[in-house]
Amino acid sequence: MPSGCAAVLPLFARLPDRPALPRPWRRGGEEPICFDERLREKEFGILDGLTTGGIRNIFPDQAEFRRLLGKFYHRPPGGESWCDVILRLRSVMDTISLHYAGRRVMIFSHQVVVLCMRYILESLTETEILAIDAKGDVANCAVTDYRLEADAGRDGRLVLQRYNVTAPMEEDRTPVTKAPDAIAGARG
């Protein structure tokens, strides 16, 4: 990654106090990592930590709302819909455009954020992004990569190069997992 790269992480990323980019990812000067709470995973509200079966058993009304509204639009109490996440991400993209125009940016985040970012960057429809989601989870530490196609449109556009690629982990002989984070807070 060339000099002039910026990395943006969710506010609650498990890293030491505001480190610089690790040496393999930078050349030249130190590039600080920026933390942005808007990149946090979707807020699941009262459904956090529950399986689909658990939601049906404990909150049958929410299971029915989700069935009626669909995964994209359902907002559980205390939580967010995919549309809410997309609104946050549009704001992040505005900030990145303003402060990091012309630079490479690495964003570290989670499943729904990765998918919603694809929805924005690729101008996907609800049906298209939900079909991608249905194909499988975003693997832990997977890479999704875009390149600027400068000749596309007035200002160019970002074009998907790779999605959900785990090769960097496999090259390092690090096991690729899909396990969710352990529940760290009290429930109820």
Side-chain angles (χ1 to χ4, degrees):
M1 180 91 21
S3 179
C5 162
V8 186
L9 283 81
L11 180 62
F12 299 108
R14 295 184 193 120
L15 291 174
D17 293 335
R18 307 225 181 234
L21 286 176
R23 194 160 297 284
W25 293 345
R26 63 177 160 81
R27 293 189 186 117
E30 295 285 324
E31 287 290 338
I33 293 177
C34 305
F35 291 82
D36 194 313
E37 76 286 348
R38 295 170 294 177
L39 291 168
R40 69 187 180 279
E41 179 60 302
K42 176 182 179 278
E43 298 287 347
F44 293 95
I46 63 170
L47 306 181
D48 193 21
L50 296 176
T51 63
T52 302
I55 293 168
R56 276 194 307 270
N57 290 333
I58 298 170
F59 299 109
D61 57 332
Q62 290 302 311
E64 180 62 9
F65 288 145
R66 184 171 186 235
R67 186 188 70 75
L68 292 170
L69 295 172
K71 182 178 194 172
F72 200 74
Y73 296 101
H74 177 246
R75 179 188 297 136
E80 297 177 295
S81 69
W82 280 41
C83 295
D84 296 323
V85 174
I86 289 165
L87 182 62
R88 271 200 268 131
L89 294 178
R90 289 187 192 283
S91 171
V92 168
M93 295 305 294
D94 286 345
T95 300
I96 290 171
S97 295
L98 180 65
H99 295 285
Y100 301 102
R103 297 172 71 188
R104 292 179 186 220
V105 176
M106 291 187 297
I107 297 174
F108 298 83
S109 201
H110 300 278
Q111 170 96 13
V112 176
V113 172
V114 170
L115 291 166
C116 289
M117 192 66 82
R118 284 196 66 183
Y119 173 85
I120 294 167
L121 293 175
E122 299 171 44
S123 298
L124 298 174
T125 65
E126 172 191 348
T127 302
E128 291 169 328
I129 196 60
L130 291 176
I132 292 168
D133 178 52
K135 289 179 184 174
D137 290 340
V138 174
N140 289 336
C141 299
V143 174
T144 299
D145 182 28
Y146 289 86
R147 297 279 185 234
L148 179 63
E149 191 174 279
D151 297 337
R154 188 185 72 171
D155 297 318
R157 70 181 173 103
L158 293 174
V159 177
L160 182 68
Q161 299 296 302
R162 298 180 292 173
Y163 169 66
N164 205 17
V165 175
T166 57
M169 298 298 292
E170 293 164 10
E171 286 172 11
D172 195 36
R173 294 189 173 102
T174 301
V176 176
T177 65
K178 293 184 179 179
D181 291 337
I183 294 174
R187 298 272 187 252

